[in-house]
Amino acid sequence: MTGPADRPRAEWPLYEVFVRGKRGLNHVHVGSLHATDDEMALRHARDVYTRRNEGVSIWVVRSDAVAASSPDEKDPLFAPAGDKVYRHPTFYAVADDVPHM
Amino acid sequence: MTVAPEVSPEQESELAAAFDATIARHDRIEPRDWMPEKYRATLVRQIAQHAHSEIIGMQPEGNWITRAPSLRRKAILLAKVQDEAGHGLYLYSACETLGVSRQELTERLISGQQKYSSIFNYPTLSYADVGTIGWLVDGAAIANQVPLCRTSYGPYGRSMIRICKEESFHQRQGYELLATMMRGTDEQRAMVQESVDRFWWPALMMFGPPDDDSPNTAQSMAWGIKRDTNDELRQKFVDMSVPQAERLGVTLPDPGLVWNAERGYHDFGQPDWDEFYAVVQGSGPCNAQRIAHRRRAHEEGAWVREAATAFAATQQVATQHDEARS
C-alpha cells in the first residue's frame, strides 16, 4: 500500500479501450491507456485510437475491473463446447437438391 | 491485464512444450500465456526500443513545426508528429502487457538504460529533411514493420498493424514534399539532394548491424518475433528506393549502388558501421539533446500528472458524498 503522501506520484490507472468501428458492429478491444478518471480516459482514447474516423463509439473500463478466464483453464473451461458437434449446421446431412438451405 | 502466475519447475516443462507448439503452429502468444523469461525480456527490449523511437522521433520533425513554409505543410507536419506520439502509446500499451509499467519504461529511456533508433540522433537542418525523413526514414520503418504485423506476440502484432496503416501517409507526404521541391528552383533541388545525401546512410543503418554481427537474430526468428534478417530487409529497402529516387530525380550517394542482373537485386555499399556503433553508444550529433529534452518534458510535466490525480481523488470523494446523501 502507498501512503497518502506517495499517492500523487503513483502511476495513473490503466484503462482498456473498446471501439465500435461503425454502426452495426461490436465494440472491439483496441488497446489500453492511462488516465486519472473515466472522462479523461474517454478523451485520451479519442486522441490515441480514433484519429482517422476509426470509431463511432468508445467504451473505456479500468483494467483492474476486467475479469478474465485463465489460459491454464483452457481445456476444462471450453471443453463442454468441444464435444457438441451437433451445434454446428455442418453436422446435418441434407440432400443437395433441397433449396434455400 | 496481469501476467501469468508463478509455476513449479515440474509444470514448467509442460508449459514450455505448449509454448513451443503455439510458435510452431505460427499461432500468437497472448499476454496471460506462460512464456520463457528470455522471450518476455527480448520482447520488452524490442517493443520498448520501438516505442522510445516513436517518442524521440517527434523531436527532429517537431523542430520545424513553427517554421513550416505554408499552413498546409504545417497542418500535415502537426498531424504526422501527433501520429508518432500515438504510435509510441500503442507500443507502450503493448509493452505493458508483458508486466512492465509505463513509469519504468520512461525511466529506462531517460536514464539511457534502453535505446531508441539511432536515426533520431541526427539533426534536421532544412525543411527538405521533413520530406526525406518521410520518404526514407519512414520508408525504412515500413520495410521493418510490415513483417512485424505477423510477429508471434499478439499485442505487438496488433500495434504494428495500426502503425503500418498510418505510416503510409507519412511516407507519401514526404515523397510529395520532395517532388514539389524538385519541381521548384535549382536551389530547392540542391536542398533535396543535400538532404538525401545526409540521410541515405543513416537510413540503411536503421535495419541494424549485418547479420554476422547480430547475435540475437537467430533466436528472435526461431521465436517468430522477427520474420526477416537485418540484411534481407536492408536489401528490400534498397531495391524499393532506387526507382523512387530515379523518379524523383535525386542521386543516392553510393558509388557502389548498381543493379546486379545475376542476383536480381541491387548491389550496394555498406554504411560506416563504426559510426553506427558510436551513435548507438551515445556519441551521435544529437543524443544528449534528445534525452535532455525528453527528460525535461517528463519532469516539467510532473505537476500536471500530480494535479490530475489529486483532482480525480477529490471528484471521487464528492461523488461518494452525493451517493451517501441520496
Side-chain angles (χ1 to χ4, degrees):
Chain A
M1 284 295 284
T2 52
D6 303 325
R7 205 168 291 143
R9 294 213 158 268
E11 195 162 66
W12 288 354
L14 192 64
Y15 279 79
E16 300 299 323
V17 181
F18 300 78
V19 171
R20 185 200 294 286
K22 57 179 183 177
R23 289 178 177 277
L25 295 181
N26 291 323
H27 284 78
V28 174
H29 182 244
V30 292
S32 63
L33 50 75
H34 291 273
T36 53
D37 58 23
D38 297 354
E39 192 188 338
M40 187 196 275
L42 278 173
R43 284 171 187 274
H44 284 183
R46 182 204 60 185
D47 291 342
V48 178
Y49 292 103
T50 63
R51 287 193 302 283
R52 289 179 174 76
N53 304 318
E54 291 97 334
V56 294
S57 163
I58 301 172
W59 290 348
V60 290
V61 58
R62 275 184 62 150
S63 306
D64 57 14
V66 174
S69 66
S70 158
D72 305 342
E73 320 166 326
K74 187 171 181 255
D75 288 343
L77 191 66
F78 297 106
D83 61 357
K84 293 179 181 60
V85 284
Y86 46 85
R87 281 181 170 159
H88 296 277
T90 47
F91 180 72
Y92 303 94
V94 174
D96 288 345
D97 54 359
V98 178
H100 310 304
M101 194 173 276
Chain B
M1 300 272 126
T2 52
V3 293
E6 293 285 321
V7 291
S8 69
E10 299 83 59
Q11 288 169 296
E12 190 160 312
S13 62
E14 204 176 304
L15 290 165
F19 171 86
D20 290 342
T22 305
I23 296 288
R25 282 198 309 273
H26 300 294
D27 221 338
R28 302 292 192 264
I29 303 296
E30 292 295 343
R32 285 160 56 89
D33 291 341
W34 182 91
M35 58 188 86
E37 263 322 299
K38 279 193 170 167
Y39 177 84
R40 185 187 301 278
T42 302
L43 277 169
V44 167
R45 185 176 51 84
Q46 182 170 333
I47 302 174
Q49 182 168 332
H50 198 157
H52 298 330
S53 301
E54 302 283 357
I55 296 299
I56 296 292
M58 288 192 281
Q59 292 183 39
E61 290 182 285
N63 180 34
W64 285 95
I65 290 175
T66 55
R67 292 171 289 168
S70 67
L71 187 56
R72 178 176 181 271
R73 293 290 169 198
K74 185 170 185 163
I76 292 169
L77 187 54
L78 272 170
K80 191 190 175 231
V81 172
Q82 190 192 13
D83 273 355
E84 307 298 1
H87 296 177
L89 295 177
Y90 304 156
L91 287 160
Y92 281 134
S93 147
C95 203
E96 287 175 271
T97 66
L98 292 160
V100 244
S101 75
R102 179 77 60 90
Q103 226 161 302
E104 279 174 76
L105 292 169
T106 305
E107 283 299 328
R108 288 183 203 171
L109 169 64
I110 59 183
S111 68
Q113 256 178 290
Q114 283 176 337
K115 306 288 182 201
Y116 52 89
S117 178
S118 58
I119 190 82
F120 302 116
N121 289 318
Y122 291 87
T124 43
L125 304 179
S126 80
Y127 207 82
D129 288 357
V130 173
T132 309
I133 287 176
W135 173 40
L136 293 178
V137 175
D138 292 311
I142 291 171
N144 248 328
Q145 290 169 356
V146 166
L148 288 176
C149 294
R150 293 177 294 117
T151 192
S152 62
Y153 187 58
Y156 190 27
R158 293 192 285 275
S159 306
M160 293 316 313
I161 290 170
R162 300 182 67 85
I163 290 173
C164 284
K165 280 186 192 161
E166 301 182 356
E167 289 288 356
S168 172
F169 142 59
H170 296 180
Q171 195 188 21
R172 291 175 68 102
Q173 67 82 31
Y175 194 82
E176 187 233 39
L177 191 163
L178 296 180
T180 306
M181 289 184 76
M182 292 302 286
R183 287 194 299 272
T185 62
D186 283 346
E187 204 185 350
Q188 286 175 310
R189 277 186 286 276
M191 273 172 78
V192 173
Q193 184 63 57
E194 188 274 332
S195 173
V196 170
D197 288 346
R198 269 185 294 114
F199 275 98
W200 174 248
W201 293 111
L204 289 191
M205 294 178 195
M206 286 175 68
F207 298 93
D211 294 347
D212 295 343
D213 299 324
S214 178
N216 301 324
T217 292
Q219 181 60 78
S220 283
M221 287 184 73
W223 276 329
I225 296 175
K226 274 175 86 161
R227 292 289 181 180
D228 305 90
T229 72
N230 298 350
D231 285 332
E232 283 165 0
L233 291 168
R234 192 166 10 250
Q235 178 73 61
K236 207 175 192 176
F237 173 70
V238 170
D239 290 329
M240 289 192 308
S241 301
V242 167
Q244 293 170 350
E246 272 168 26
R247 187 71 183 76
L248 201 55
V250 295
T251 311
L252 297 174
D254 178 359
L257 182 59
V258 60
W259 175 249
N260 183 329
E262 211 171 293
R263 285 201 313 134
Y265 296 104
H266 290 87
D267 291 336
F268 58 96
Q270 285 294 309
D272 179 349
W273 292 114
D274 291 339
E275 177 186 318
F276 171 78
Y277 288 113
V279 175
V280 169
Q281 294 310 319
S283 359
C286 300
N287 295 54
Q289 179 190 336
R290 300 292 186 235
I291 290 296
H293 186 83
R294 181 69 193 90
R295 174 184 288 279
R296 193 166 59 243
H298 183 65
E299 286 170 0
E300 289 178 359
W303 73 270
V304 179
R305 294 191 294 277
E306 286 165 20
T309 303
F311 177 75
T314 58
Q315 291 297 103
Q316 211 175 356
V317 170
T319 313
Q320 280 162 358
H321 273 290
D322 288 349
E323 279 167 4
R325 251 179 302 171
S326 63

